[in-house]
Amino acid sequence: MAFDHTKYAPFPPIDKSDRRWPAQRTTAAPRFCAVDLRDGNQALVHPMSVEQKMRFFEVLVGIGLTEIEIGFPSASQIDYDFTRRLIDEDRIPEGVYIQVLTQAREDLIQKTFAALEGAPRAVVHVYNSTNPAQREQVFRMDRDGVRGIAENGARWVRDHAAKYPQTDWIFQYSPESFSTTELDFAVEVVDAVNAIWRPDQGQKVVINLPATVESATPNVFADQVEWFCDHVQYREHFCVSLHTHNDRGTGVAAAELGLLAGADRLEGTLFGNGERTGNMDLVTVGMNLYSQGIDPTIDLSDMERLMDVYKECTDMPINPRHPWAGELVYTAFSGSHQDAIRKGLAHYKEKGGHWNVPYLPIDPSDLGRRYEEVVRINSQSGKGGVTHVLERDYGIELPRWLAIEFARIVQKDAETSQIEVSSKRIHELFEKHYLTPVTGWDLVRYEIEKDGPVVRLDATMGPPGRESRLRGEGHGAVAALTSAMEAERGVQVKITHFDEHAMESGTEARAMAAVDVQVDGERSVGVALGEDTTAATLQAVLNATGRRLGERAAEPAAVNA
């Protein structure tokens, strides 16, 4: 059997009956550190150039990040050059800490500090692997040997930092593969490192707990973080950071639960880039906080620019279903969803208050998204979506009876083309089936004379040079027109539905009218735009009448053909 699950052992749970994190609640954003620019440019097929790194760095600074891991200068000439350029050209804004990565080897640590000479603020991040697989298979060392690597690294970092007192140093240590390391040993190694760095005496320290390979469910990782925080020394004197990966698809969840369990800081990348399945996604975590009314401390409002820079610098795509940022995440094709969104947006516009629009967890405009991207039309769409597009793009509000009928026309067009129906195409269909007057039935001018409840209408219709007059009277302009049609054209027109409304400011027409009529007992619909509601209504009746009579005239020819 090739697909054999028995070759894998289940991850052992944590024996922790006193867990407190499930009852906790996140009320503020953690410290964030972006690691997009770290070693290997996060496993890109085409590593970034110094210029691309610079552009990416400026974007990270621009959204408000104050801790940015910029690379591995002791292992990469590009990273070394980039580090020096940031420092030499004074590119590091006030309050921003650049962070660099190094293994726990003295020659690499020495080169790291040389790369950082003159930096105003910096984090030196030293690490070594601590889990059993690495100890036994890679280093072939026991616990004492691996702990010794960490202790030596801590001493070298401390001693070299002392040579550059002008820099505000933060020391960071990662027991790499923390999530697959025995918890008691992880605490033992971290205690040994802190005994050298002495955060209790004022040295700024970050202890970073990586889920280097995600191996368990997020609740297990949260148990590990809480157990660590409960047992480590000097806990109140240093920052606990998390660096989760996405091998099981739950890197964000693990980070969020780890915060509940006592962590203070999260490392991650924009859109979750990183080796294998990627790192924790800063965009998703930030927007998750934002959607709960919590200030994420990073500004993601210009999401399109972030996406453009990310794609240009990494040569990586962004999935259209990516949380919060994907092209389709605020898009509804389903008719019932579109109807709910349209009504919810109208309710919010009228009532205000906290955002609570169906199917939209946040207001897309907060991220620079246009409402054109929310409702899109295909063969699965209904009247709500079609109505929303006409209202949104053309200021045309359809009464329910007309929306139902027009939605069928749009759906048929979508089924025939088998592609998405654009806003422009929807408007073209609306004009073709309702707005465009039949030749000879366009209203040229009209005069109305009122005598009490009676209205006398004198109207001219038809193309220039071949106009014809309609004169009649009735209780209202529409009744006067239908009376004239019967008296002068011998056509009986009965109104069954009639709607009119003023158009939104900014549109050329000031009013729209829609009528559902019986022309000699046969149904027809007409819609018209006009300078006022009376002109629009009269033209709508003429459109409906002329269209039905034109169709009737064409029917015998169609039969004979």
Side-chain angles (χ1 to χ4, degrees):
M1 179 178 176
F3 195 64
D4 182 9
H5 66 280
T6 63
K7 70 193 291 186
Y8 302 102
F11 193 88
I14 309 302
D15 184 13
K16 194 176 194 304
S17 59
D18 63 340
R19 60 180 60 87
R20 304 177 304 283
W21 63 263
Q24 301 302 310
R25 181 184 174 197
T26 298
T27 57
R31 286 167 56 180
F32 284 119
C33 176
V35 296
D36 302 77
L37 304 174
R38 70 183 303 175
D39 59 307
N41 293 323
Q42 289 293 22
L44 299 178
V45 176
H46 305 292
M48 290 186 225
S49 66
V50 171
E51 291 299 330
Q52 288 174 317
K53 278 176 170 279
M54 188 66 71
R55 186 174 184 205
F56 211 120
F57 177 81
E58 290 171 352
V59 165
L60 296 174
V61 168
I63 65 175
L65 285 159
T66 57
E67 297 178 59
I68 302 171
E69 191 165 80
I70 61 170
F72 204 141
S74 64
S76 165
Q77 187 61 46
I78 287 180
D79 284 4
Y80 190 95
D81 294 342
F82 176 54
T83 304
R84 289 311 315 162
R85 184 169 172 185
L86 286 175
I87 298 167
D88 294 338
E89 296 181 5
D90 195 23
R91 298 288 193 108
I92 306 168
E94 183 66 31
V96 172
Y97 283 81
I98 57 171
Q99 178 172 306
V100 295
L101 193 66
T102 180
Q103 291 175 310
R105 285 172 40 191
E106 186 173 17
D107 59 327
L108 299 182
I109 291 172
Q110 181 179 7
K111 186 174 182 180
T112 297
F113 277 94
L116 290 170
E117 183 177 3
R121 292 160 300 278
V123 183
V124 177
H125 179 188
V126 63
Y127 71 95
N128 68 301
S129 294
T130 56
N131 69 329
Q134 295 270 25
R135 295 198 311 261
E136 296 166 8
Q137 300 172 31
V138 180
F139 299 109
R140 301 191 179 185
M141 288 183 175
D142 58 13
R143 285 189 173 195
D144 290 343
V146 168
R147 187 184 66 248
I149 294 175
E151 290 172 318
N152 286 333
R155 291 190 191 95
W156 292 324
V157 167
R158 178 198 63 191
D159 294 346
H160 282 281
K163 300 175 184 178
Y164 305 93
Q166 74 279 11
T167 299
D168 178 7
W169 296 110
I170 296 176
F171 299 162
Q172 177 168 324
Y173 172 70
S174 288
E176 189 190 358
S177 302
F178 161 80
S179 59
T180 52
T181 297
E182 307 93 330
L183 286 175
D184 65 320
F185 183 55
V187 168
E188 178 185 330
V189 173
V190 169
D191 282 346
V193 168
N194 276 335
I196 296 168
W197 284 347
R198 297 307 299 263
D200 59 315
Q201 295 182 4
Q203 174 59 53
K204 297 176 185 177
V205 171
V206 172
I207 298 298
N208 188 55
L209 306 179
T212 305
V213 176
E214 188 178 38
S215 303
T217 51
N219 61 299
V220 173
F221 184 69
D223 280 349
Q224 292 174 316
V225 173
E226 189 172 82
W227 195 98
F228 175 89
C229 291
D230 287 346
H231 291 83
V232 73
Q233 295 179 26
Y234 304 133
R235 174 62 189 96
E236 67 274 22
H237 296 293
F238 66 86
C239 170
V240 171
S241 176
L242 306 179
H243 183 105
T244 58
H245 280 255
N246 205 41
D247 299 270
R248 293 171 55 88
T250 55
V252 165
E256 291 181 329
L257 297 191
L259 287 178
L260 299 179
D264 311 299
R265 177 183 187 263
L266 298 180
E267 292 189 346
T269 59
L270 298 187
F271 309 109
N273 183 44
E275 61 267 29
R276 302 187 313 283
T277 55
N279 294 104
M280 180 213 80
D281 180 3
L282 285 172
V283 170
T284 298
V285 173
M287 288 307 305
N288 287 356
L289 292 168
Y290 183 81
S291 71
Q292 299 300 305
I294 299 170
D295 179 4
T297 70
I298 51 177
D299 183 358
L300 302 171
S301 60
D302 195 354
M303 190 66 75
E304 291 299 321
R305 178 170 179 265
L306 292 184
M307 295 170 69
D308 288 344
V309 172
Y310 169 85
K311 289 185 286 189
E312 179 183 324
C313 292
T314 67
D315 199 24
M316 296 278 286
I318 295 174
N319 193 297
R321 298 295 184 189
H322 181 285
W324 305 112
E327 178 187 354
L328 297 177
V329 296
Y330 304 109
T331 299
F333 287 103
S334 163
S336 60
H337 288 205
Q338 292 172 341
D339 187 57
I341 289 172
R342 184 178 70 87
K343 292 174 180 175
L345 289 172
H347 183 273
Y348 178 75
K349 184 177 181 180
E350 177 185 356
K351 303 293 186 181
H354 284 119
W355 181 264
N356 188 26
V357 174
Y359 302 110
L360 293 178
I362 67 161
D363 184 346
S365 68
D366 290 352
L367 301 183
R369 292 291 178 86
R370 301 173 301 161
Y371 286 111
E372 287 87 334
E373 296 154 343
V374 174
V375 172
R376 291 162 58 176
I377 308 301
N378 63 14
S379 61
Q380 303 301 311
S381 305
K383 63 178 176 55
V386 171
T387 301
H388 178 78
V389 169
L390 286 177
E391 286 180 10
R392 179 192 69 198
D393 297 344
Y394 303 101
I396 297 174
E397 297 180 23
L398 301 187
R400 177 178 171 79
W401 61 268
L402 181 56
I404 293 172
E405 173 174 303
F406 183 53
R408 296 193 188 104
I409 293 172
V410 175
Q411 184 178 43
K412 183 177 180 180
D413 188 76
E415 290 172 346
T416 301
S417 66
Q418 297 185 340
I419 59 173
E420 180 181 345
V421 185
S422 68
S423 170
K424 180 181 178 182
R425 177 59 178 166
I426 290 171
H427 190 249
E428 288 174 351
L429 290 171
F430 191 70
E431 283 193 324
K432 173 183 176 182
H433 288 271
Y434 302 116
L435 286 179
T436 304
V438 177
T439 301
W441 291 85
D442 44 322
L443 183 67
V444 178
R445 66 183 69 87
Y446 72 94
E447 293 181 2
I448 287 179
E449 201 177 284
K450 293 184 179 180
D451 183 8
V454 176
V455 171
R456 293 186 179 89
L457 173 70
D458 185 354
T460 303
M461 68 176 194
R466 290 186 290 141
E467 294 102 338
S468 60
R469 297 179 70 182
L470 289 171
R471 287 172 287 192
E473 62 181 45
H475 290 279
V478 172
L481 177 60
T482 58
S483 173
M485 297 283 291
E486 183 171 4
E488 300 189 21
R489 296 295 180 96
V491 179
Q492 289 188 340
V493 180
K494 180 180 180 182
I495 309 298
T496 56
H497 284 101
F498 164 54
D499 291 270
E500 64 180 16
H501 68 269
M503 300 284 283
E504 293 184 4
S505 60
T507 57
E508 293 182 4
R510 295 181 180 179
M512 189 191 91
V515 295
D516 187 352
V517 305
Q518 296 286 324
V519 180
D520 292 338
E522 298 173 320
R523 181 172 181 266
S524 186
V525 172
V527 183
L529 306 178
E531 294 183 357
D532 54 60
T533 53
T534 300
T537 302
L538 294 175
Q539 183 64 68
V541 174
L542 293 176
N543 285 352
T545 305
R547 184 166 289 109
R548 182 61 201 129
L549 293 179
E551 291 170 351
R552 183 190 300 169
E555 285 169 3
V559 171
N560 293 334

